[in-house]
């Protein structure tokens, strides 16, 4: 490691002021990506700003027909929340399947979507649910926020404050884990509310999470796993091929996981 300043603000305003004064500072939430990056000296910010001491970034509440999840809510908090389990059980199940207990108790929803790892679970869920990401400066639909592999629409000095997730529809997520990392080799999130169906795929695309329009069209006609028979992931999505799985195998897994997610959504 190397020398850097460490700040733990107690308000969002303090955090924003610290970022403004320290141009190359990094925000710290769970730290599961940032800390290893620092240890490997792949990043060398002059300061770290720990967001976990800011009360306004925490908590899970219900507002109308939405859940409002604070950016520093841990995966374990989302998984264990009676409110999430009741209003959106598929999201609670997703959070409970992230990594291992250590990861779930330290990792945060805000940190996960800010990093937008191409094999992370939350980005697919937020796309499928039509969620809204709120920062200290603006609100963005998940489709606009998640812009590519490890890339988001966040601007300099912008801090995720909460995620707003609609309730009242059907939602489920199914993934095929890498047995070593526990990341999704392929994960598919399916959401249905009214006549709108959204399907998002993680772990497979070379540019990160993406919407699967062909599956959405098929499921809009009939929200049943059999509607996906014969529906293929378009080659234009440029699926990953690596030591863990070929592009062809990932294409097959997308179909299998999508059917499992639809069956799980219909079972709730």
């Amino acid at each position: 490691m190397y020398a850097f300043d460490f700040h733990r603000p107690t308000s969002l305003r303090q955090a924003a002021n610290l970022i403004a004064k320290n141009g190359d500072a990094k925000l710290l939430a769970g730290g599961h990506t940032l800390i290893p990056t620092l240890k490997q000296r792949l990043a060398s910010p002059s300061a770290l700003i720990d967001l976990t001491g800011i009360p306004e970034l925490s908590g899970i509440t219900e507002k109308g027909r939405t859940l409002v999840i604070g950016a520093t809510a841990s995966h374990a908090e989302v998984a264990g929340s009676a409110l999430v389990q009741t209003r959106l059980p598929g999201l609670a199940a997703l959070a409970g399947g992230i990594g291992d207990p250590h990861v779930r108790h330290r990792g945060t929803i805000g940190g996960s979507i800010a990093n937008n790892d191409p094999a992370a679970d939350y980005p697919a869920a937020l796309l499928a649910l039509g969620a809204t990401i709120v920062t200290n400066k603006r609100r963005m639909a998940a489709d606009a926020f998640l812009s590519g592999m490890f890339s988001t629409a966040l601007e300099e000095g912008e801090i995720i404050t909460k995620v707003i997730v609609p309730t009242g529809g059907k939602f489920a997520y199914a993934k095929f884990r890498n047995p070593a990392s526990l990341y999704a080799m392929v994960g598919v999130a399916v959401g249905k509310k009214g006549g709108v169906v959204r399907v998002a795929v993680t772990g497979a695309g070379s540019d990160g999470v993406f919407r699967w329009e062909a599956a959405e069209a098929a499921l809009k006609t009939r929200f049943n796993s059999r509607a996906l028979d014969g529906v293929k992931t378009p080659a234009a999505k440029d699926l990953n091929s690596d030591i863990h799985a070929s592009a062809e195998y990932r294409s097959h897994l997308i179909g299998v996981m999508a059917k499992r997610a639809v069956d799980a959504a219909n079972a709730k």
Side-chain angles (χ1 to χ4, degrees):
M1 295 290 281
Y2 55 89
F4 55 81
D5 294 327
F6 181 81
H7 303 280
R8 197 165 192 265
T10 56
S11 72
L12 188 57
R13 176 175 292 183
Q14 286 180 1
N17 288 338
L18 285 167
I19 295 173
K21 293 176 182 177
N22 299 271
D24 67 337
K26 294 289 186 181
L27 298 174
L28 176 66
H32 285 295
T33 297
L34 179 59
I35 299 302
T37 301
L38 298 179
K39 288 182 176 179
Q40 295 173 46
R41 295 184 178 273
L42 298 175
S44 53
S46 62
L48 293 185
I49 302 171
D50 184 356
L51 301 177
T52 58
I54 302 176
E56 57 202 290
L57 300 186
S58 63
I60 301 172
T61 59
E62 186 173 24
K63 186 174 182 181
R65 294 180 67 82
T66 67
L67 293 180
V68 181
I69 305 173
T72 59
S74 70
H75 311 322
E77 287 178 283
V78 175
S81 166
L83 194 55
V84 180
Q85 291 172 359
T86 301
R87 296 289 187 262
L88 206 52
L91 186 62
L94 177 151
I98 295 175
D100 54 29
H102 174 73
V103 169
R104 290 193 290 273
H105 281 84
R106 288 296 304 168
T108 65
I109 187 171
S112 176
I113 61 175
N115 190 47
N116 196 16
D117 189 290
D121 301 308
Y122 276 127
L126 299 191
L127 280 181
L129 287 164
T132 299
I133 289 82
V134 182
T135 75
N136 59 327
K137 297 182 178 181
R138 55 182 170 152
R139 294 176 173 231
M140 288 170 279
D143 294 85
F145 178 83
L146 301 164
S147 55
M149 182 183 293
F150 295 111
S151 177
T152 70
L154 284 172
E155 297 176 349
E156 187 174 341
E158 200 165 11
I159 303 171
I160 299 171
T161 60
K162 56 191 171 184
V163 177
I164 301 175
V165 185
T167 59
K170 295 183 177 182
F171 170 78
Y173 175 71
K175 72 174 174 178
F176 189 91
R177 292 185 179 200
N178 180 309
S181 69
L182 303 183
Y183 273 105
M185 287 208 306
V186 168
V188 180
V190 176
K192 180 181 186 297
K193 188 166 185 180
V196 178
V197 176
R198 299 167 68 93
V199 181
V201 180
T202 189
S206 61
D207 197 33
V209 65
F210 63 89
R211 295 268 300 277
W212 186 12
E213 292 87 355
E216 292 175 349
L219 291 170
K220 185 175 181 180
T221 300
R222 182 175 55 148
F223 196 74
N224 185 291
S225 60
R226 290 188 295 275
L228 296 175
D229 289 344
V231 181
K232 301 295 183 183
T233 308
K237 290 302 182 185
D238 192 16
L239 301 183
N240 289 331
S241 185
D242 52 33
I243 62 172
H244 304 295
S246 66
E248 292 76 16
Y249 185 50
R250 280 190 164 91
S251 178
H252 171 72
L253 283 177
I254 289 171
V256 174
M257 295 301 112
K259 287 186 175 184
R260 290 182 184 179
V262 173
D263 286 341
N266 280 329
K268 293 180 172 60

